[in-house]
Amino acid sequence: MQRTDTFNMWIKAVHRCKALCSWGGLVLVTLWMSAQAVPIAVDKTKVTTGTDTPDLEPPESADTGLHYDRYLREVVEFLEKDKHFREKLQNSDMDAIKQGQLAKELDFVGHHVRTQLDELKRQEVSRLRTLIKVKHDMESGADKAMDHKTLMRQFEYLNHKNPHTFEVDDLDRLIKSATSDLDNFDKERHDDFKKYEMSKEHQRREKLKDMDEEHRKMEEIHYEELKKKHAEHPKVHHPGSQDQLKEVWEETDHLDPKDFNPKTFFNLHDTNGDGFFDEQEMEALFTKELEKLYDPKSPDYDGMEMEEERLRMREHVIKEVDTNNDRLVSRDEFMAASQKKEFQEQEPWETVEDNPVYTEEELKEYEAHLAQEESQLQQKTAELQKQHDELQQQQDTLDAQKKELQEAVQEMEKKKAGPPEVKEPGAPPAGDKAPAIAESSLPMSPDHHQPPVSVHS
């Protein structure tokens, strides 16, 4: 099988899986599926199985959401190329992979693959060190204390003490880290939805507080009417039960419910023909049930709640049917489940509204936490305002001192120039020459010798 067609399908599933905050253990599924899955082509009209591999589209860009996503996928790709490793995969189950037995087989992988893995690890260590240095510089510049434990967690998926070669310990760490990190996606998703629901209820109650008595009563009546209307829906069957699958068989497949057959049903809905129900194929089976609960045109439609309901249904089927914990439902697992008593489950499915995700005590704790955060924010705002006022006061003082200094400088310059010259009345302006006076017009002194006067006869 060329570079595992199922791996290509897994890549596409991962892309949607991340968007929906889907299940964990993808690296294990990747490794195990690359060896275990046997492609089966299905003629949807005749519902018969064959041996030809269906044509598949090129894989989309996958992103598991892990900061070492690219490294994870490239390691899997290189290991897939080794014949010995693939043979060991065929004889390994999920528990053996989780316990690290598969990682030990790395010692028998071909030299060319080990060389590629060594180089891959060196590049990853270099990349990680660069990122951590940048983070360190940024946080140090902001005068923040470094959380070294958090930084060291960035290295948990590889042995950074040996940055040059890819060893058994590296593969073991990678499998365990990816399994743990991806498993947390579901928990984080549930926690996020819980906060979303509490936040929505908190906002509703705060809105009521701002209303007068009359409008508050009207709003409460409207709220109860919407809840009652939402609860008036057709029976929602247990996901994976015979009734639920029969409904799909009749309304989606347009087949006679009397002819319902689990094996034929599986072949019909194993859309990629790989012999497994993946998360997309399973979720497609719940569309009819979700339509009973959520109408996009309804004023109380909540897309977040619908998505939570869909994922709860999928988790229920995985829990009940997936016996080898590989997060997929094989044909054998599906057939075995159809023989169990639980397959005949008649009780209606309890929805998100039937099972609130938080208690009144938890809501009160959440509101108290919000109040504490708001108080801290107000306190911080007050401190910043106080600092602003102090800085403004200092600026005003500096401006006043600056003005006083400028006035003092101007006064000193005036003193340097001396007192202004006092002018006599009628005196010519300073710098102008006095007008010339004729000598004959000046009075003569008694001893002044006058030139003789010539007398002509």
Side-chain angles (χ1 to χ4, degrees):
M1 192 167 67
Q2 295 181 349
R3 228 212 130 249
T4 68
D5 291 333
T6 44
F7 180 76
N8 290 349
M9 289 185 286
W10 174 81
I11 288 291
K12 291 194 288 185
V14 169
H15 183 72
R16 189 161 184 268
C17 174
K18 177 181 179 288
L20 300 178
C21 299
S22 188
W23 62 66
L26 295 182
V27 65
L28 302 183
V29 174
T30 305
L31 290 171
W32 191 70
M33 284 292 296
S34 65
Q36 294 288 352
V38 179
I40 300 175
V42 178
D43 184 338
K44 299 302 178 181
T45 60
K46 299 180 180 179
V47 197
T48 58
T49 60
T51 57
D52 295 333
T53 303
D55 292 334
L56 298 173
E57 299 175 359
E60 298 176 3
S61 176
D63 186 356
T64 60
L66 303 176
H67 68 88
Y68 51 92
D69 169 78
R70 180 177 178 181
Y71 176 71
L72 167 64
R73 290 185 289 115
E74 288 182 345
V75 167
V76 173
E77 182 178 351
F78 285 140
L79 288 172
E80 234 183 352
K81 297 176 181 178
D82 186 82
K83 182 179 178 181
H84 171 80
F85 200 85
R86 287 182 59 81
E87 290 176 352
K88 289 298 180 181
L89 273 173
Q90 293 175 354
N91 299 318
S92 298
D93 57 23
M94 295 303 293
D95 290 335
I97 295 175
K98 290 179 180 179
Q99 293 170 7
Q101 296 178 18
L102 182 65
K104 298 176 182 178
E105 298 300 325
L106 185 68
D107 287 334
F108 303 99
V109 168
H111 176 72
H112 67 290
V113 174
R114 290 297 294 270
T115 301
Q116 289 174 318
L117 291 173
D118 291 345
E119 179 59 26
L120 182 61
K121 181 182 177 181
R122 285 192 289 269
Q123 293 175 2
E124 182 67 7
V125 171
S126 176
R127 181 192 73 86
L128 197 55
R129 286 176 173 172
T130 300
L131 291 176
I132 290 179
K133 184 179 184 302
V134 170
K135 181 178 180 181
H136 180 278
D137 293 342
M138 290 178 63
E139 295 194 356
S140 296
D143 296 327
K144 292 181 180 179
M146 290 299 297
D147 186 350
H148 291 283
K149 288 185 178 181
T150 300
L151 288 180
M152 293 310 297
R153 273 186 53 81
Q154 307 295 313
F155 280 103
E156 285 186 350
Y157 64 96
L158 50 75
N159 182 5
H160 65 92
K161 294 181 180 179
N162 172 21
H164 305 294
T165 58
F166 190 95
E167 304 296 341
V168 171
D169 182 51
D170 291 296
L171 181 56
D172 188 42
R173 285 174 180 240
L174 183 60
I175 291 174
K176 291 178 179 178
S177 294
T179 301
S180 175
D181 293 342
L182 290 167
D183 278 341
N184 286 332
F185 281 172
D186 268 349
K187 183 180 183 302
E188 291 173 2
R189 173 179 59 77
H190 285 301
D191 291 341
D192 289 343
F193 179 73
K194 184 176 182 178
K195 290 178 182 177
Y196 167 77
E197 288 288 282
M198 289 192 292
S199 174
K200 189 169 71 170
E201 177 62 15
H202 171 69
Q203 291 175 12
R204 189 187 73 84
R205 295 185 182 186
E206 289 297 306
K207 181 181 177 181
L208 291 175
K209 290 180 182 179
D210 296 333
M211 296 180 177
D212 57 39
E213 187 65 24
E214 181 181 354
H215 287 86
R216 189 182 302 116
K217 287 182 178 180
M218 291 175 59
E219 185 66 23
E220 287 284 16
I221 292 173
H222 178 65
Y223 176 72
E224 292 299 328
E225 287 177 348
L226 287 177
K227 283 183 64 177
K228 182 179 180 181
K229 183 178 179 181
H230 186 74
E232 294 173 350
H233 54 72
K235 177 182 177 181
V236 180
H237 300 296
H238 256 73
S241 67
Q242 179 174 258
D243 287 344
Q244 189 258 312
L245 300 182
K246 271 188 175 182
E247 193 170 56
V248 176
W249 174 277
E250 181 178 4
E251 297 187 17
T252 302
D253 302 330
H254 306 292
L255 298 173
D256 191 335
K258 297 177 182 179
D259 297 331
F260 176 77
N261 180 278
K263 184 176 182 180
T264 304
F265 182 92
F266 186 93
N267 291 335
L268 278 171
H269 294 276
D270 176 21
T271 55
N272 60 14
D274 64 356
F276 293 85
F277 275 166
D278 59 29
E279 58 104 7
Q280 288 175 289
E281 292 164 332
M282 275 189 282
E283 288 182 0
L285 302 178
F286 311 140
T287 301
K288 287 295 180 182
E289 303 305 314
L290 293 170
E291 287 176 352
K292 299 174 184 178
L293 296 168
Y294 301 97
D295 179 6
K297 297 179 182 179
S298 175
D300 66 336
Y301 171 75
D302 190 323
M304 287 285 288
E305 289 185 356
M306 184 183 72
E307 194 56 41
E308 176 71 9
E309 199 74 72
R310 184 195 309 275
L311 298 180
R312 286 178 69 245
M313 289 179 174
R314 190 189 66 199
E315 289 176 348
H316 174 77
V317 172
I318 288 292
K319 181 180 178 181
E320 297 295 322
V321 183
D322 177 29
T323 56
N324 66 352
N325 299 318
D326 63 358
R327 315 306 297 176
L328 299 167
V329 175
S330 68
R331 181 183 286 103
D332 290 342
E333 288 173 331
F334 182 81
M335 293 304 298
S338 68
Q339 305 300 317
K340 294 181 180 179
K341 180 180 179 181
E342 290 77 10
F343 191 63
Q344 309 295 330
E345 179 65 62
Q346 299 293 324
E347 292 296 323
W349 171 253
E350 293 186 348
T351 66
V352 170
E353 290 193 349
D354 296 327
N355 287 284
V357 294
Y358 62 87
T359 63
E360 188 65 26
E361 289 73 17
E362 288 175 324
L363 178 59
K364 289 180 180 179
E365 290 179 4
Y366 174 76
E367 291 180 325
H369 178 69
L370 288 180
Q372 183 180 7
E373 286 186 337
E374 183 177 358
S375 175
Q376 291 174 348
L377 183 60
Q378 291 176 348
Q379 182 179 356
K380 186 67 176 178
T381 301
E383 291 175 357
L384 291 173
Q385 184 62 46
K386 182 180 179 181
Q387 292 176 9
H388 175 271
D389 294 342
E390 291 175 351
L391 289 173
Q392 187 62 51
Q393 186 177 2
Q394 293 175 9
Q395 184 64 47
D396 293 342
T397 302
L398 290 174
D399 290 343
Q401 292 175 350
K402 180 181 178 181
K403 185 177 180 181
E404 291 177 0
L405 181 61
Q406 289 174 342
E407 291 175 350
V409 170
Q410 291 175 358
E411 187 66 26
M412 290 178 65
E413 289 177 349
K414 289 180 181 180
K415 290 181 179 179
K416 262 186 198 178
E421 183 179 357
V422 179
K423 298 179 181 179
E424 294 182 0
D432 291 348
K433 292 183 178 180
I437 302 175
E439 184 178 351
S440 59
S441 67
L442 295 175
M444 297 178 63
S445 62
D447 59 348
H448 181 74
H449 177 71
Q450 294 186 359
V453 177
S454 173
V455 177
H456 297 281
S457 56

